[in-house]
Amino acid sequence: MRGMLEKDANPPLGDGGDATARELLAKAMERPRALSTRELATLLRMPDPKPLFEAARSLRRSVVGGGVALRGLVEISNICEKNCYYCGIRRDNRNPKRYSMDAGEILAAAGWAHEAGYGSIVIQGGERRGEAWTGFIEGILREIHTAFGDKLGVTISLGEQTEETYARWLEAGAHRYLLRIETSNQSLYAKLHPGDHSWEKRLNCLRTLKRLGYQTGSGVMCALPGQTIEDLAEDIAFFAAEDLDMIGMGPYIPHAETPMAGWSGAGELGAARRLDLGLRMIAATRLHLHDVNIAAATALQALAPDGRERGVLAGANVIMPNVTPRRYRAEYDLYEGKPCLGEEAAQCRGCLERRLAGIGEKILWNRRNDPLHARCSR
Ligand code: 5AD
Ligand code: SF4
Ligand code: FES
């Protein structure tokens, strides 16, 4: 069955019955990459996702181990040269007040995350090019490395750059990179982005990052207008084919000040169905890839207060608590309903600890928690 994403959280079965889906779960748990794209689609469509989530969580515990790894997220700048049709900080949106944290502020946020026991940070910002920016990031990475050495994992997520820039940032101390492919469907990608954005260029960036030796992460949005369950199954096959170490996925959430919010189908799926699709993607990705790090993305928390915990219950093992200074948080406005805008980082730390304890999960404090996949394959 091909077609747009069904609105119903429990859509009618496409192919195979429940017994088939259960057989597929058993097959997936036996060894990684055991499923065809068609079989992945069958899992994504299971009428009752509970067995899917349970299998994924149990596989996560046996392969990656118990507990949740944290990465303190520092949103260093909302200035972006790109104009993605879905994103609230796209170049042509005049509403967010544009900011760039200075070196002192970024170092202080990194230091706070380290002191708080997070073990790793993610430095994320809009896409910018040019020597001033490249050199600024390089300098920060060196300072962070000098201050914390290998005790603090450093991920960067700063968009498409040249091989030379990636190599400089790696040499300066970053060792993980996140660059979402957004969708593996090239024609859908072309609809979501202006003509000067290129899916192939993005893929080449991912391959370059991997070749240079970064632990490489990517991911997609789900619940996009025009997307099908088959597209999502293909996304998971793409993660396997590109041999990624880390996956970060989240549901698309419309932002009123973007072109896409007005498109037909953009607001069609309700919050419950978007969240459900995000959780199904986490579970099916865990079942297919086994040993990668999978983040329970903040977009899940935007759709339900316990969205991230539900992500962990569906097979995720990483959470990225926000450590951006409070005065900048609301301006890093990717989508509507972004959580924790009024909270200080310390409040989020306590909140997260309580929430994870509530589902019987420990936090893996003071450890970098590199993806098992990166340790095994290199
Ligand atoms: N809804 C959900 N995720 C979004 N992102 C950007 N805009 C949105 C949105 N409206 C995600 C993209 C990007 C990451 C930084 O944020 O996947 O890669
Ligand atoms: Fe810029 Fe990323 Fe938003 Fe696209 S999704 S406009 S690259 S911040
Ligand atoms: Fe920020 Fe709960 S994680 S308040």
Side-chain angles (χ1 to χ4, degrees):
M1 186 173 74
R2 233 195 128 78
M4 295 306 141
L5 296 171
E6 299 85 353
K7 276 189 213 173
D8 193 345
N10 296 320
L13 256 194
D15 36 28
D18 213 14
T20 319
R22 280 178 185 275
E23 280 163 25
L24 291 180
L25 289 179
K27 181 167 149 187
M29 289 185 76
E30 245 169 59
R31 63 183 171 86
R33 300 160 192 232
L35 303 179
S36 67
T37 310
R38 193 183 153 85
E39 290 170 334
L40 285 166
T42 302
L43 286 190
L44 290 171
R45 281 203 175 90
M46 279 179 76
D48 174 7
K50 231 191 261 142
L52 175 70
F53 299 158
E54 279 165 10
R57 186 190 191 196
S58 128
L59 185 71
R60 190 269 292 179
R61 279 179 178 276
S62 61
V63 176
V64 187
V68 173
L70 302 183
R71 280 86 173 87
L73 176 65
V74 197
E75 296 159 330
I76 61 166
S77 172
N78 65 354
I79 299 173
C80 187
E81 292 176 12
K82 286 259 168 99
N83 228 349
C84 309
Y85 291 140
Y86 44 85
C87 177
I89 65 170
R90 62 198 301 275
R91 189 182 66 219
D92 287 353
N93 185 6
R94 297 193 178 276
N95 287 328
K97 214 171 118 209
R98 302 291 170 168
Y99 73 88
S100 259
M101 288 170 64
D102 66 27
E105 289 173 318
I106 299 172
L107 267 170
W112 190 91
H114 179 64
E115 284 292 306
Y118 286 3
S120 284
I121 54 167
V122 177
I123 293 179
Q124 187 171 72
E127 195 170 303
R128 285 157 83 173
R129 267 166 288 271
E131 180 51 37
W133 181 245
T134 306
F136 172 71
I137 298 296
E138 189 177 22
I140 303 264
L141 291 169
R142 280 201 205 291
E143 286 193 59
I144 291 174
H145 195 73
T146 307
F148 310 109
D150 288 336
K151 289 203 287 290
L152 187 70
V154 180
T155 309
I156 48 177
S157 180
L158 299 165
E160 294 169 13
Q161 304 287 345
T162 61
E163 175 165 349
E164 191 213 335
T165 298
Y166 287 148
R168 276 171 65 181
W169 290 347
L170 182 74
E171 202 270 323
H175 62 111
R176 307 184 185 122
Y177 205 103
L178 300 178
L179 181 66
R180 287 190 180 178
I181 192 77
E182 312 295 359
T183 170
S184 63
N185 179 331
Q186 293 189 56
S187 64
L188 182 57
Y189 187 94
K191 290 190 190 118
L192 308 177
H193 300 93
D196 59 345
H197 296 37
S198 154
W199 185 90
E200 274 175 7
K201 183 167 176 223
R202 187 158 286 217
L203 176 63
N204 282 333
C205 284
L206 276 175
R207 290 181 174 169
T208 302
L209 288 163
K210 210 162 160 83
R211 181 164 42 77
L212 288 172
Y214 279 95
Q215 292 167 21
T216 305
S218 191
V220 295
M221 287 182 285
C222 55
L224 288 162
Q227 196 175 39
T228 65
I229 288 284
E230 280 68 24
D231 288 330
L232 295 175
E234 292 284 357
D235 289 341
I236 299 174
F238 172 91
F239 303 152
E242 295 303 319
D243 200 26
L244 298 166
D245 304 303
M246 313 175 293
I247 308 294
M249 297 172 287
Y252 161 65
I253 302 172
H255 186 297
E257 291 154 6
T258 59
M260 212 163 116
W263 294 2
S264 92
E268 194 180 343
L269 303 177
R273 177 58 173 147
R274 282 172 199 277
L275 178 61
D276 170 71
L277 274 171
L279 298 175
R280 285 170 188 256
M281 278 298 279
I282 288 175
T285 301
R286 171 65 67 204
L287 287 163
H288 196 50
L289 300 187
H290 284 213
D291 61 357
V292 293
N293 275 353
I294 303 180
T298 312
L300 298 173
Q301 194 190 353
L303 292 170
D306 63 347
R308 290 172 311 178
E309 296 87 272
R310 289 168 69 179
V312 171
L313 291 173
N317 67 317
V318 171
I319 288 183
M320 294 162 48
N322 201 321
V323 300
T324 310
R326 197 166 62 171
R327 66 183 170 285
Y328 297 129
R329 286 192 186 191
E331 307 302 337
Y332 203 82
D333 182 22
L334 302 175
Y335 46 78
E336 269 151 39
K338 202 178 151 224
C340 308
L341 298 185
E343 273 75 19
E344 293 291 355
Q347 289 171 286
C348 290
R349 183 182 187 274
C351 163
L352 190 60
E353 196 171 10
R354 278 190 301 280
R355 285 183 164 280
L356 287 172
I359 58 163
E361 286 287 345
K362 284 193 315 255
I363 292 175
L364 303 170
W365 296 112
N366 297 304
R367 283 166 42 183
R368 272 175 34 157
N369 297 297
D370 288 309
L372 188 61
H373 185 78
R375 281 179 262 157
C376 293
S377 59
R378 269 175 228 133

